[in-house]
Amino acid sequence: QVQLVESGGGLVQAGGSLRLSCAASGRSFVGYIMGWFRQPPGKEREFVAAITWGAGLPYYANSVKGRFTISRDNAKNTVYLQMNSLRAEDTAVYYCTTRRVEAAEYDFWGQGTQVTVSS
């Protein structure tokens, strides 16, 4: 069974940084995309970033481009989201997720980790 466990969330001042981790287990993730989504208070869940497991190709939402960096460590089966220059509007629950490259929907999700940015 696939398991995705996020960690690294917390409270940070605006302008600060956090690094989120997602430990993935349960199968090989070759041929899969690993993604980060977030759900701000009172809003719908939105895409943040994704990376292909094999080639490590990153994709970003425009709102985080230039501030966030997604990466993966194949040996540790872990995906990271380095978040710099944080803003109050980055406050959200951040979720790790995965899908096959050719799939339309993400099918496994972590439990989420809270990120709160104080202004």
Side-chain angles (χ1 to χ4, degrees):
Q1 180 70 4
V2 172
Q3 281 196 315
L4 304 173
V5 180
E6 303 98 334
S7 61
L11 174 64
V12 64
Q13 288 189 332
S17 299
L18 280 176
R19 189 178 79 157
L20 305 183
S21 300
C22 172
S25 62
R27 68 178 178 209
S28 168
F29 291 91
V30 174
Y32 284 79
I33 288 177
M34 306 298 295
W36 287 96
F37 280 67
R38 66 186 182 187
Q39 187 165 18
K43 296 184 179 180
E44 295 187 351
R45 191 161 53 189
E46 62 185 20
F47 171 76
V48 176
I51 189 167
T52 58
W53 192 264
L57 297 174
Y59 303 88
Y60 298 98
N62 287 335
S63 59
V64 306
K65 203 171 292 184
R67 300 188 298 124
F68 291 11
T69 302
I70 189 170
S71 62
R72 88 271 184 260
D73 184 329
N74 289 2
K76 295 182 178 180
N77 257 25
T78 300
V79 178
Y80 303 98
L81 185 67
Q82 178 66 43
M83 306 185 294
N84 299 330
S85 302
L86 283 163
R87 306 166 180 166
E89 53 264 38
D90 295 318
T91 294
V93 178
Y94 284 71
Y95 297 92
C96 180
T97 182
T98 184
R99 64 171 172 85
R100 291 192 64 85
V101 169
E102 64 270 21
E105 302 289 335
Y106 286 89
D107 52 359
F108 288 98
W109 296 81
Q111 81 288 351
T113 186
Q114 176 70 47
V115 171
T116 303
V117 184
S118 63
S119 56

